[in-house]
Short mmCIF file of all heavy atoms in Angstrom, two decimals:
data_model
loop_
_atom_site.label_atom_id
_atom_site.label_comp_id
_atom_site.label_asym_id
_atom_site.label_seq_id
_atom_site.Cartn_x
_atom_site.Cartn_y
_atom_site.Cartn_z
N MET A 1 0.82 -1.20 0.00
CA MET A 1 0.00 0.00 0.00
C MET A 1 0.86 1.26 0.00
O MET A 1 0.44 2.29 -0.51
CB MET A 1 -0.91 -0.03 1.22
CG MET A 1 -1.93 1.05 1.24
SD MET A 1 -3.08 0.82 -0.11
CE MET A 1 -4.19 2.11 0.20
N ASN A 2 2.05 1.18 0.56
CA ASN A 2 2.92 2.35 0.59
C ASN A 2 3.45 2.72 -0.79
O ASN A 2 3.90 3.84 -1.00
CB ASN A 2 4.10 2.10 1.53
CG ASN A 2 3.66 2.10 2.97
OD1 ASN A 2 2.64 2.69 3.30
ND2 ASN A 2 4.42 1.43 3.82
N ILE A 3 3.41 1.77 -1.73
CA ILE A 3 3.91 2.04 -3.07
C ILE A 3 3.05 3.08 -3.78
O ILE A 3 3.51 3.79 -4.68
CB ILE A 3 4.01 0.72 -3.87
CG1 ILE A 3 4.85 0.92 -5.14
CG2 ILE A 3 2.65 0.22 -4.24
CD1 ILE A 3 6.29 1.11 -4.86
N ILE A 4 1.79 3.20 -3.37
CA ILE A 4 0.89 4.20 -3.97
C ILE A 4 1.41 5.60 -3.73
O ILE A 4 1.27 6.47 -4.59
CB ILE A 4 -0.54 4.01 -3.41
CG1 ILE A 4 -1.09 2.75 -3.97
CG2 ILE A 4 -1.38 5.23 -3.65
CD1 ILE A 4 -2.54 2.73 -4.27
N PHE A 5 2.02 5.84 -2.59
CA PHE A 5 2.55 7.16 -2.28
C PHE A 5 3.75 7.50 -3.17
O PHE A 5 4.12 8.66 -3.30
CB PHE A 5 2.94 7.26 -0.81
CG PHE A 5 1.76 7.13 0.11
CD1 PHE A 5 1.68 6.09 1.01
CD2 PHE A 5 0.72 8.05 0.05
CE1 PHE A 5 0.58 5.97 1.84
CE2 PHE A 5 -0.37 7.94 0.89
CZ PHE A 5 -0.43 6.89 1.79
N LEU A 6 4.35 6.53 -3.77
CA LEU A 6 5.43 6.75 -4.71
C LEU A 6 4.92 6.80 -6.16
O LEU A 6 5.32 7.66 -6.94
CB LEU A 6 6.48 5.63 -4.58
CG LEU A 6 7.66 5.71 -5.54
CD1 LEU A 6 8.53 6.89 -5.18
CD2 LEU A 6 8.44 4.42 -5.50
N LEU A 7 4.01 5.91 -6.51
CA LEU A 7 3.55 5.82 -7.88
C LEU A 7 2.58 6.92 -8.28
O LEU A 7 2.57 7.35 -9.44
CB LEU A 7 2.92 4.45 -8.13
CG LEU A 7 3.86 3.26 -8.10
CD1 LEU A 7 3.09 1.98 -8.34
CD2 LEU A 7 4.95 3.42 -9.15
N ALA A 8 1.76 7.38 -7.39
CA ALA A 8 0.77 8.42 -7.72
C ALA A 8 1.46 9.73 -8.12
O ALA A 8 1.15 10.27 -9.19
CB ALA A 8 -0.20 8.62 -6.58
N PRO A 9 2.39 10.25 -7.33
CA PRO A 9 3.06 11.49 -7.78
C PRO A 9 3.91 11.26 -9.04
O PRO A 9 4.02 12.15 -9.88
CB PRO A 9 3.96 11.88 -6.61
CG PRO A 9 3.41 11.18 -5.44
CD PRO A 9 2.76 9.94 -5.96
N PHE A 10 4.48 10.08 -9.17
CA PHE A 10 5.27 9.78 -10.35
C PHE A 10 4.40 9.78 -11.61
O PHE A 10 4.79 10.31 -12.64
CB PHE A 10 5.97 8.42 -10.18
CG PHE A 10 6.89 8.08 -11.30
CD1 PHE A 10 8.06 8.80 -11.50
CD2 PHE A 10 6.59 7.04 -12.16
CE1 PHE A 10 8.92 8.49 -12.53
CE2 PHE A 10 7.44 6.73 -13.20
CZ PHE A 10 8.60 7.45 -13.39
N SER A 11 3.20 9.23 -11.53
CA SER A 11 2.31 9.22 -12.69
C SER A 11 1.80 10.62 -13.00
O SER A 11 1.63 10.98 -14.18
CB SER A 11 1.15 8.26 -12.46
OG SER A 11 0.34 8.71 -11.41
N VAL A 12 1.55 11.43 -11.99
CA VAL A 12 1.14 12.81 -12.22
C VAL A 12 2.28 13.58 -12.89
O VAL A 12 2.06 14.35 -13.84
CB VAL A 12 0.71 13.50 -10.91
CG1 VAL A 12 0.54 15.00 -11.09
CG2 VAL A 12 -0.56 12.87 -10.38
N PHE A 13 3.50 13.37 -12.45
CA PHE A 13 4.66 14.02 -13.06
C PHE A 13 4.82 13.60 -14.52
O PHE A 13 5.07 14.44 -15.39
CB PHE A 13 5.93 13.68 -12.27
CG PHE A 13 7.18 14.16 -12.96
CD1 PHE A 13 7.50 15.50 -12.97
CD2 PHE A 13 8.02 13.26 -13.59
CE1 PHE A 13 8.66 15.94 -13.61
CE2 PHE A 13 9.16 13.69 -14.23
CZ PHE A 13 9.48 15.04 -14.24
N LEU A 14 4.65 12.33 -14.83
CA LEU A 14 4.76 11.86 -16.21
C LEU A 14 3.66 12.45 -17.08
O LEU A 14 3.89 12.81 -18.25
CB LEU A 14 4.72 10.34 -16.27
CG LEU A 14 6.00 9.62 -15.90
CD1 LEU A 14 5.79 8.11 -15.96
CD2 LEU A 14 7.14 10.02 -16.80
N GLY A 15 2.46 12.55 -16.55
CA GLY A 15 1.37 13.16 -17.30
C GLY A 15 1.62 14.63 -17.58
O GLY A 15 1.39 15.10 -18.70
N LEU A 16 2.12 15.36 -16.60
CA LEU A 16 2.44 16.77 -16.81
C LEU A 16 3.60 16.94 -17.78
O LEU A 16 3.62 17.89 -18.57
CB LEU A 16 2.76 17.44 -15.47
CG LEU A 16 1.57 17.63 -14.54
CD1 LEU A 16 2.04 18.21 -13.20
CD2 LEU A 16 0.53 18.53 -15.17
N ALA A 17 4.56 16.03 -17.74
CA ALA A 17 5.67 16.08 -18.69
C ALA A 17 5.18 15.84 -20.12
O ALA A 17 5.65 16.49 -21.07
CB ALA A 17 6.74 15.05 -18.31
N ALA A 18 4.23 14.92 -20.29
CA ALA A 18 3.69 14.65 -21.62
C ALA A 18 2.91 15.86 -22.14
O ALA A 18 3.02 16.24 -23.31
CB ALA A 18 2.79 13.42 -21.58
N VAL A 19 2.11 16.49 -21.28
CA VAL A 19 1.38 17.69 -21.69
C VAL A 19 2.36 18.82 -22.02
O VAL A 19 2.18 19.54 -23.00
CB VAL A 19 0.38 18.12 -20.59
CG1 VAL A 19 -0.20 19.49 -20.87
CG2 VAL A 19 -0.73 17.09 -20.47
N GLY A 20 3.40 18.96 -21.23
CA GLY A 20 4.41 19.98 -21.50
C GLY A 20 5.13 19.74 -22.82
O GLY A 20 5.38 20.69 -23.57
N ALA A 21 5.44 18.49 -23.14
CA ALA A 21 6.09 18.18 -24.41
C ALA A 21 5.14 18.47 -25.58
O ALA A 21 5.58 18.96 -26.63
CB ALA A 21 6.53 16.72 -24.43
N PHE A 22 3.87 18.20 -25.41
CA PHE A 22 2.90 18.49 -26.46
C PHE A 22 2.77 19.99 -26.69
O PHE A 22 2.76 20.45 -27.83
CB PHE A 22 1.54 17.87 -26.11
CG PHE A 22 0.49 18.16 -27.13
CD1 PHE A 22 0.54 17.59 -28.39
CD2 PHE A 22 -0.57 19.00 -26.83
CE1 PHE A 22 -0.44 17.86 -29.34
CE2 PHE A 22 -1.55 19.28 -27.76
CZ PHE A 22 -1.48 18.70 -29.03
N VAL A 23 2.68 20.77 -25.62
CA VAL A 23 2.57 22.22 -25.75
C VAL A 23 3.84 22.78 -26.38
O VAL A 23 3.79 23.68 -27.24
CB VAL A 23 2.28 22.87 -24.38
CG1 VAL A 23 2.41 24.38 -24.43
CG2 VAL A 23 0.89 22.48 -23.90
N TRP A 24 4.99 22.26 -26.00
CA TRP A 24 6.26 22.71 -26.58
C TRP A 24 6.29 22.42 -28.08
O TRP A 24 6.74 23.26 -28.86
CB TRP A 24 7.41 22.01 -25.88
CG TRP A 24 8.74 22.30 -26.49
CD1 TRP A 24 9.44 23.47 -26.42
CD2 TRP A 24 9.51 21.41 -27.28
NE1 TRP A 24 10.60 23.33 -27.13
CE2 TRP A 24 10.67 22.08 -27.67
CE3 TRP A 24 9.33 20.09 -27.70
CZ2 TRP A 24 11.64 21.49 -28.45
CZ3 TRP A 24 10.30 19.51 -28.47
CH2 TRP A 24 11.44 20.21 -28.85
N SER A 25 5.81 21.25 -28.49
CA SER A 25 5.81 20.93 -29.92
C SER A 25 4.82 21.80 -30.69
O SER A 25 5.06 22.14 -31.84
CB SER A 25 5.51 19.45 -30.14
OG SER A 25 4.16 19.16 -29.82
N LEU A 26 3.72 22.19 -30.06
CA LEU A 26 2.78 23.11 -30.72
C LEU A 26 3.42 24.48 -30.93
O LEU A 26 3.30 25.08 -32.00
CB LEU A 26 1.52 23.27 -29.88
CG LEU A 26 0.50 22.15 -29.96
CD1 LEU A 26 -0.65 22.45 -29.00
CD2 LEU A 26 -0.02 21.97 -31.36
N ARG A 27 4.10 24.98 -29.92
CA ARG A 27 4.73 26.30 -30.02
C ARG A 27 5.92 26.30 -30.96
O ARG A 27 6.26 27.33 -31.53
CB ARG A 27 5.16 26.79 -28.65
CG ARG A 27 3.99 27.14 -27.77
CD ARG A 27 4.44 27.75 -26.49
NE ARG A 27 3.28 28.05 -25.68
CZ ARG A 27 3.33 28.77 -24.58
NH1 ARG A 27 4.48 29.25 -24.18
NH2 ARG A 27 2.25 28.99 -23.90
N ALA A 28 6.56 25.15 -31.15
CA ALA A 28 7.71 25.06 -32.04
C ALA A 28 7.29 24.93 -33.49
O ALA A 28 8.15 24.91 -34.37
CB ALA A 28 8.58 23.87 -31.63
N GLY A 29 6.00 24.83 -33.77
CA GLY A 29 5.52 24.75 -35.14
C GLY A 29 5.59 23.37 -35.73
O GLY A 29 5.66 23.21 -36.95
N GLN A 30 5.54 22.35 -34.92
CA GLN A 30 5.65 20.98 -35.40
C GLN A 30 4.46 20.58 -36.26
O GLN A 30 4.61 19.78 -37.16
CB GLN A 30 5.75 20.04 -34.19
CG GLN A 30 6.05 18.61 -34.53
CD GLN A 30 7.48 18.40 -34.98
OE1 GLN A 30 8.35 19.18 -34.66
NE2 GLN A 30 7.71 17.36 -35.71
N TYR A 31 3.30 21.14 -36.02
CA TYR A 31 2.09 20.73 -36.72
C TYR A 31 1.58 21.79 -37.69
O TYR A 31 0.40 21.80 -38.04
CB TYR A 31 0.99 20.41 -35.70
CG TYR A 31 1.40 19.36 -34.70
CD1 TYR A 31 1.68 19.71 -33.38
CD2 TYR A 31 1.54 18.05 -35.07
CE1 TYR A 31 2.07 18.77 -32.47
CE2 TYR A 31 1.94 17.09 -34.16
CZ TYR A 31 2.20 17.45 -32.86
OH TYR A 31 2.59 16.52 -31.96
N ASP A 32 2.44 22.68 -38.16
CA ASP A 32 2.00 23.78 -39.01
C ASP A 32 1.62 23.34 -40.42
O ASP A 32 0.65 23.81 -40.98
CB ASP A 32 3.08 24.85 -39.10
CG ASP A 32 3.12 25.71 -37.85
OD1 ASP A 32 2.20 25.59 -37.03
OD2 ASP A 32 4.08 26.48 -37.70
N ASP A 33 2.38 22.45 -41.03
CA ASP A 33 2.18 22.10 -42.44
C ASP A 33 1.87 20.61 -42.55
O ASP A 33 2.71 19.81 -42.93
CB ASP A 33 3.43 22.45 -43.24
CG ASP A 33 3.23 22.27 -44.72
OD1 ASP A 33 2.07 22.22 -45.16
OD2 ASP A 33 4.23 22.16 -45.44
N MET A 34 0.64 20.25 -42.25
CA MET A 34 0.26 18.83 -42.28
C MET A 34 0.09 18.32 -43.71
O MET A 34 0.46 17.20 -44.02
CB MET A 34 -1.04 18.61 -41.51
CG MET A 34 -0.92 18.94 -40.03
SD MET A 34 0.28 17.92 -39.18
CE MET A 34 -0.66 16.43 -39.03
N GLU A 35 -0.44 19.14 -44.62
CA GLU A 35 -0.66 18.69 -46.00
C GLU A 35 0.65 18.60 -46.77
O GLU A 35 0.83 17.71 -47.60
CB GLU A 35 -1.63 19.63 -46.73
CG GLU A 35 -3.05 19.54 -46.24
CD GLU A 35 -3.30 20.38 -45.00
OE1 GLU A 35 -2.48 21.28 -44.71
OE2 GLU A 35 -4.29 20.13 -44.30
N GLY A 36 1.57 19.51 -46.52
CA GLY A 36 2.85 19.49 -47.22
C GLY A 36 3.67 18.26 -46.90
O GLY A 36 4.30 17.67 -47.78
N SER A 37 3.66 17.84 -45.67
CA SER A 37 4.40 16.63 -45.28
C SER A 37 3.79 15.39 -45.91
O SER A 37 4.51 14.47 -46.28
CB SER A 37 4.40 16.49 -43.76
OG SER A 37 5.08 17.57 -43.17
N ALA A 38 2.49 15.37 -46.04
CA ALA A 38 1.83 14.21 -46.63
C ALA A 38 2.09 14.12 -48.13
O ALA A 38 2.23 13.04 -48.68
CB ALA A 38 0.33 14.26 -46.37
N ALA A 39 2.18 15.26 -48.80
CA ALA A 39 2.40 15.26 -50.25
C ALA A 39 3.87 15.15 -50.61
O ALA A 39 4.21 14.73 -51.71
CB ALA A 39 1.82 16.53 -50.86
N ARG A 40 4.77 15.49 -49.71
CA ARG A 40 6.20 15.48 -50.00
C ARG A 40 6.71 14.09 -50.31
O ARG A 40 7.64 13.92 -51.10
CB ARG A 40 6.96 16.07 -48.83
CG ARG A 40 8.39 16.41 -49.14
CD ARG A 40 9.08 17.12 -48.00
NE ARG A 40 8.29 18.26 -47.55
CZ ARG A 40 7.99 18.50 -46.27
NH1 ARG A 40 8.41 17.69 -45.33
NH2 ARG A 40 7.26 19.53 -45.95
N ILE A 41 6.11 13.07 -49.75
CA ILE A 41 6.58 11.72 -49.99
C ILE A 41 6.24 11.26 -51.41
O ILE A 41 6.89 10.37 -51.96
CB ILE A 41 6.01 10.74 -48.94
CG1 ILE A 41 6.78 9.46 -48.94
CG2 ILE A 41 4.54 10.50 -49.17
CD1 ILE A 41 6.52 8.57 -47.77
N LEU A 42 5.26 11.90 -52.04
CA LEU A 42 4.85 11.51 -53.39
C LEU A 42 5.69 12.15 -54.47
O LEU A 42 5.64 11.72 -55.63
CB LEU A 42 3.38 11.87 -53.60
CG LEU A 42 2.40 11.21 -52.64
CD1 LEU A 42 1.01 11.75 -52.87
CD2 LEU A 42 2.44 9.71 -52.77
N ILE A 43 6.47 13.16 -54.14
CA ILE A 43 7.30 13.86 -55.12
C ILE A 43 8.58 13.06 -55.35
O ILE A 43 9.30 12.73 -54.42
CB ILE A 43 7.63 15.28 -54.63
CG1 ILE A 43 6.35 16.08 -54.45
CG2 ILE A 43 8.59 15.97 -55.60
CD1 ILE A 43 6.56 17.42 -53.78
N GLU A 44 8.86 12.77 -56.62
CA GLU A 44 10.06 12.01 -56.96
C GLU A 44 11.24 12.96 -57.10
O GLU A 44 11.17 13.95 -57.82
CB GLU A 44 9.84 11.25 -58.26
CG GLU A 44 11.00 10.36 -58.61
CD GLU A 44 10.72 9.50 -59.84
OE1 GLU A 44 9.55 9.28 -60.14
OE2 GLU A 44 11.68 9.09 -60.47
N ASP A 45 12.33 12.66 -56.41
CA ASP A 45 13.53 13.48 -56.49
C ASP A 45 14.37 13.05 -57.69
O ASP A 45 14.70 11.88 -57.85
CB ASP A 45 14.36 13.35 -55.23
CG ASP A 45 13.66 13.93 -54.02
OD1 ASP A 45 12.83 14.84 -54.22
OD2 ASP A 45 13.94 13.48 -52.90
N ASP A 46 14.74 14.01 -58.54
CA ASP A 46 15.58 13.70 -59.68
C ASP A 46 17.05 13.62 -59.30
O ASP A 46 17.83 12.96 -59.97
CB ASP A 46 15.42 14.76 -60.77
CG ASP A 46 14.05 14.67 -61.42
OD1 ASP A 46 13.47 13.57 -61.41
OD2 ASP A 46 13.57 15.70 -61.92
N ASP A 47 17.42 14.26 -58.21
CA ASP A 47 18.83 14.27 -57.82
C ASP A 47 19.13 13.27 -56.70
O ASP A 47 20.06 13.47 -55.94
CB ASP A 47 19.23 15.68 -57.40
CG ASP A 47 18.39 16.16 -56.22
OD1 ASP A 47 17.35 15.56 -55.93
OD2 ASP A 47 18.79 17.17 -55.61
N ALA A 48 18.37 12.21 -56.63
CA ALA A 48 18.58 11.21 -55.58
C ALA A 48 19.89 10.45 -55.84
O ALA A 48 20.22 10.14 -56.98
CB ALA A 48 17.41 10.24 -55.53
N ASP A 49 20.61 10.18 -54.78
CA ASP A 49 21.86 9.42 -54.91
C ASP A 49 21.56 7.95 -55.04
O ASP A 49 20.58 7.43 -54.53
CB ASP A 49 22.74 9.66 -53.69
CG ASP A 49 23.21 11.10 -53.61
OD1 ASP A 49 23.30 11.76 -54.65
OD2 ASP A 49 23.50 11.53 -52.49
N GLY A 50 22.45 7.23 -55.70
CA GLY A 50 22.30 5.78 -55.81
C GLY A 50 21.83 5.37 -57.17
O GLY A 50 21.35 6.17 -57.97
N PRO A 51 21.97 4.10 -57.46
CA PRO A 51 21.57 3.60 -58.79
C PRO A 51 20.05 3.55 -58.92
O PRO A 51 19.33 3.34 -57.97
CB PRO A 51 22.18 2.21 -58.84
CG PRO A 51 22.27 1.80 -57.41
CD PRO A 51 22.54 3.06 -56.64
N ARG A 52 19.59 3.74 -60.13
CA ARG A 52 18.16 3.66 -60.42
C ARG A 52 17.84 2.28 -60.93
O ARG A 52 18.57 1.71 -61.74
CB ARG A 52 17.76 4.69 -61.46
CG ARG A 52 17.83 6.07 -60.91
CD ARG A 52 17.27 7.03 -61.93
NE ARG A 52 17.01 8.28 -61.24
CZ ARG A 52 15.93 8.98 -61.40
NH1 ARG A 52 15.03 8.60 -62.25
NH2 ARG A 52 15.76 10.08 -60.75
N PRO A 53 16.72 1.73 -60.52
CA PRO A 53 16.32 0.42 -61.07
C PRO A 53 15.92 0.57 -62.53
O PRO A 53 15.36 1.58 -62.94
CB PRO A 53 15.13 0.00 -60.22
CG PRO A 53 14.68 1.25 -59.53
CD PRO A 53 15.82 2.20 -59.50
N SER A 54 16.23 -0.45 -63.33
CA SER A 54 15.90 -0.37 -64.75
C SER A 54 14.64 -1.11 -65.09
O SER A 54 14.04 -1.76 -64.36
CB SER A 54 17.04 -0.93 -65.58
OG SER A 54 17.46 -2.17 -65.10
#
């Protein structure tokens, strides 16, 4: 039963850390261009290094 006094504050701290990381990523502009990132994978690079399959 004494372990609850250790785990409860630890879980609250982890939850607050996760919320803090999410707010930090929002302020850093991590989610600004959602459509551009999705379309960027479809663009073929002409200057890609390595051999091309024939």
Side-chain angles (χ1 to χ4, degrees):
M1 188 66 177
N2 289 336
I3 194 71
I4 290 215
F5 295 118
L6 178 69
L7 292 179
F10 185 68
S11 65
V12 169
F13 172 74
L14 282 178
L16 290 176
V19 169
F22 178 69
V23 169
W24 174 73
S25 70
L26 282 177
R27 290 186 181 190
Q30 188 72 23
Y31 304 107
D32 283 350
D33 187 19
M34 297 298 283
E35 290 83 18
S37 297
R40 194 174 309 131
I41 197 167
L42 300 175
I43 299 171
E44 184 174 337
D45 293 334
D46 290 334
D47 59 345
D49 294 334
R52 291 186 164 224
S54 48

